[in-house]
Amino acid sequence: PGGSSGGHKGHKSLIQMLATEDYARIKLGIGKGGQTIDHVLGRFKPDERTDIDKAIKRAQEGAELFVTSGRDSAMNHVNSA
């Protein structure tokens, strides 16, 4: 529901423009460790496709729930995996 940018430049920009860290956000995690720039900007490996498709579907469901049922409902659904 709120928090720091976590080092994400897009969130840092939003926080600056909104003059608050208190706004709802939807994030899709990429895992931890290593060079995240190469990971984020690189192509998916064939064995990652199934996991990516599942993550995209879950994000879509979460976004729809966020709009129709609110933040808590969306968070409960998306984080229940």
Side-chain angles (χ1 to χ4, degrees), residues 28-49 51-52 55:
L28 180 65
I30 62 165
K32 300 220 185 261
Q35 290 289 338
T36 57
I37 296 278
D38 291 338
H39 181 71
V40 171
L41 299 178
R43 296 196 176 273
F44 296 123
K45 296 175 187 168
D47 62 325
E48 295 174 318
R49 189 75 248 173
D51 289 336
I52 296 302

Side-chain angles (χ1 to χ4, degrees), residues 37-77:
I37 296 278
D38 291 338
H39 181 71
V40 171
L41 299 178
R43 296 196 176 273
F44 296 123
K45 296 175 187 168
D47 62 325
E48 295 174 318
R49 189 75 248 173
T50 299
D51 289 336
I52 296 302
D53 289 342
K54 287 178 185 176
I56 291 170
K57 178 70 173 162
R58 192 167 214 72
Q60 174 190 355
E61 294 167 352
E64 289 176 8
L65 280 169
F66 185 87
V67 172
T68 61
S69 302
R71 179 191 70 214
D72 291 342
S73 181
M75 286 174 47
N76 287 335
H77 174 73

Side-chain angles (χ1 to χ4, degrees), residues 13-36:
S13 176
L14 284 171
I15 290 167
Q16 183 178 6
M17 295 299 290
L18 296 172
T20 183
E21 294 180 345
D22 188 23
Y23 64 92
R25 57 207 65 204
I26 299 173
K27 297 180 183 181
L28 180 65
I30 62 165
K32 300 220 185 261
Q35 290 289 338
T36 57

